[in-house]
Amino acid sequence: MLITKIYRPDEIKEAAKELRLGELIAFPTETVYGLGADATNEQAVKRVYLAKGRPSDNPLIVTVSSKEMVEKYTGALSKEAQKLMATFWPGSLTIVLPIKPGALSKAVTGGLETAAFRMPKNKTTLALIKEANVPLVGPSANSSGKPSPTTAQHVFHDLEGRIRGIVDDGPTTVGVESTIIDLSTKHPTILRPGLVTAEELESVLQTEVISDKHKVGQKETPKAPGMKYKHYAPSAQVVIVSPLEWEKALAFANANKQAVAIMALEKDLANVSTEIPTFSLGENITSASQRLFAGLRHFDDQLRPEIILCAGFAEEGLGAAYMNRLKKAAGETFFSDLKI
Ligand code: TXA
Ligand code: MG
């Protein structure tokens, strides 16, 4: 078994050397930790799928440290792509663009004629990519199906012994993965909501941006292949509680203290019995998004309740991204759906 080394931010030269040798190194971003490999080394990329246990028809994000790194694979960028990069990079926006035929291996693109590019807002990782001097594939550094990792410890928990190292830069600040916008289609389309909202994208592009809420069935070939797989699922059944249902949900929790855990805003935890395990989502939607995945993991590692009651938010702004992930973790189960 490999010994998985934890690198400090001042040790990235060593980590970059491993990447150039084709090894896997997890890296921090502002959203979640990514699992890095040299995107130009097909063997290294294939090992990313193995380490994660990820289906190999699901293409990978190409993580870059400059616009020029993208142009190597796409050729001259459209005005739209340039505007988005100028406004949101480095930051939580992944842009799907057509690439030159054969410019990236099938292991990266899943055989599509496009690729997803992202420049994360994390100085250590931008320096790591510059030092490695190659773009890195960067799927979230969790085992497939588990919540994305927001700390180096989460990565270590899932991938210890399967990867060469992890660059530890502390907990991530955004907590949910980047917004993905597809610019390869006739109308710009959001494939995954994140911190950068449809409204912000529309105001920069000066055109309508479509939100692709279409759900992909198991037998369908997905647009963003990632959409068809189970995600973010802890062992317990997650149940979403909308604000108006809190009182009823608390009564249910009190009647089922042995089986239930609660994830909610600090203010809503004040009245919860101390016998019920809780995880605070902080003060607002920003802290709730930052802590959501850590909370889902928290109960897997410790108490193993049967049900996790988790606070829902309005699906606007960052709330759209939070609810997108929470609904996947809950398999769309709301408290009002429970037959009690
Ligand atoms: O915030 C993030 O984006 C994180 C951090 C680590 O950068 N990365 C991340 O990667 O979430 P991943 O692989 O877990 O999710 C990437 C998604 C997948 O659902 C994949 O299907 C989609 O991007 N994707 C990749 N290439 C695509 C393409 N050419 N067209 C459409 N979707 C694509
Ligand atoms: Mg992921």
Side-chain angles (χ1 to χ4, degrees), residues 110-159:
L112 299 171
E113 286 167 359
T114 57
F117 295 94
R118 155 153 159 79
M119 191 195 314
K121 197 172 184 173
N122 179 286
K123 286 200 178 112
T124 302
T125 288
L126 292 177
L128 176 73
I129 298 171
K130 272 193 201 117
E131 183 70 32
N133 201 24
V134 282
L136 304 180
V137 290
S140 50
N142 50 291
S143 354
S144 197
K146 284 285 158 202
S148 294
T150 54
T151 65
Q153 289 70 37
H154 295 159
V155 181
F156 194 79
H157 175 277
D158 281 14
L159 301 179

Side-chain angles (χ1 to χ4, degrees), residues 172-176 195 265 281-292 313 317-319 322:
T172 64
T173 52
V174 177
V176 290
L195 179 67
L265 291 177
L281 293 174
E283 314 301 325
N284 52 40
I285 184 62
T286 303
S287 56
S289 298
Q290 198 222 339
R291 297 181 194 182
L292 176 65
F313 285 83
L318 185 55
Y322 173 97

Side-chain angles (χ1 to χ4, degrees), residues 62-338:
V62 179
T63 318
V64 299
S65 58
S66 70
K67 193 176 95 179
E68 289 68 35
M69 234 180 209
V70 177
E71 284 168 330
K72 260 180 105 168
Y73 306 99
T74 59
L77 292 166
S78 66
K79 271 211 183 69
E80 287 74 24
Q82 294 193 43
K83 274 195 215 163
L84 292 183
M85 290 173 187
T87 313
F88 298 107
W89 280 13
S92 308
L93 182 69
T94 296
I95 308 173
V96 175
L97 298 168
I99 54 168
K100 297 189 237 172
L104 286 160
S105 83
K106 223 176 138 181
V108 176
T109 62
L112 299 171
E113 286 167 359
T114 57
F117 295 94
R118 155 153 159 79
M119 191 195 314
K121 197 172 184 173
N122 179 286
K123 286 200 178 112
T124 302
T125 288
L126 292 177
L128 176 73
I129 298 171
K130 272 193 201 117
E131 183 70 32
N133 201 24
V134 282
L136 304 180
V137 290
S140 50
N142 50 291
S143 354
S144 197
K146 284 285 158 202
S148 294
T150 54
T151 65
Q153 289 70 37
H154 295 159
V155 181
F156 194 79
H157 175 277
D158 281 14
L159 301 179
E160 184 200 359
R162 296 168 170 230
I163 63 176
R164 175 65 76 194
I166 305 166
V167 178
D168 185 356
D169 196 25
T172 64
T173 52
V174 177
V176 290
E177 306 88 340
S178 61
T179 306
I180 303 180
I181 186 167
D182 190 349
L183 289 187
S184 73
T185 46
K186 190 155 172 244
H187 298 287
T189 306
I190 292 180
L191 302 178
R192 178 175 73 185
L195 179 67
V196 176
T197 63
E199 294 73 30
E200 289 175 297
L201 291 164
E202 281 179 344
S203 88
V204 172
L205 292 173
Q206 291 293 311
T207 177
E208 192 195 351
V209 171
I210 299 163
S211 290
D212 196 346
K213 289 213 172 110
H214 172 71
K215 285 210 196 67
V216 179
Q218 281 304 318
K219 289 195 182 127
E220 213 174 328
T221 301
K223 181 83 184 306
M227 296 198 298
K228 85 175 168 191
Y229 302 106
K230 197 175 164 207
H231 262 88
Y232 318 122
S235 315
Q237 171 65 55
V238 179
V239 175
I240 307 168
V241 181
S242 40
L244 293 174
E245 291 170 336
W246 259 118
E247 257 177 61
K248 267 200 209 158
L250 277 184
F252 170 79
N254 276 323
N256 297 278
K257 290 195 181 88
Q258 303 311 316
V260 175
I262 296 181
M263 289 170 62
L265 291 177
E266 193 69 42
K267 68 175 173 58
D268 291 323
L269 291 178
N271 302 321
V272 174
S273 156
T274 51
E275 293 166 77
I276 299 171
T278 59
F279 184 91
S280 172
L281 293 174
E283 314 301 325
N284 52 40
I285 184 62
T286 303
S287 56
S289 298
Q290 198 222 339
R291 297 181 194 182
L292 176 65
F293 291 149
L296 295 174
R297 281 173 177 267
H298 174 76
F299 294 115
D300 261 4
D301 288 346
Q302 327 218 340
L303 299 141
R304 297 194 168 264
E306 284 166 41
I307 291 180
I308 300 172
L309 298 174
C310 184
F313 285 83
E315 292 185 44
E316 56 196 29
L318 185 55
Y322 173 97
M323 288 302 285
N324 171 271
R325 308 317 190 269
L326 180 56
K327 280 180 180 171
K328 285 186 187 171
E332 307 262 340
T333 308
F334 281 80
F335 185 72
S336 53
D337 299 329
L338 294 189

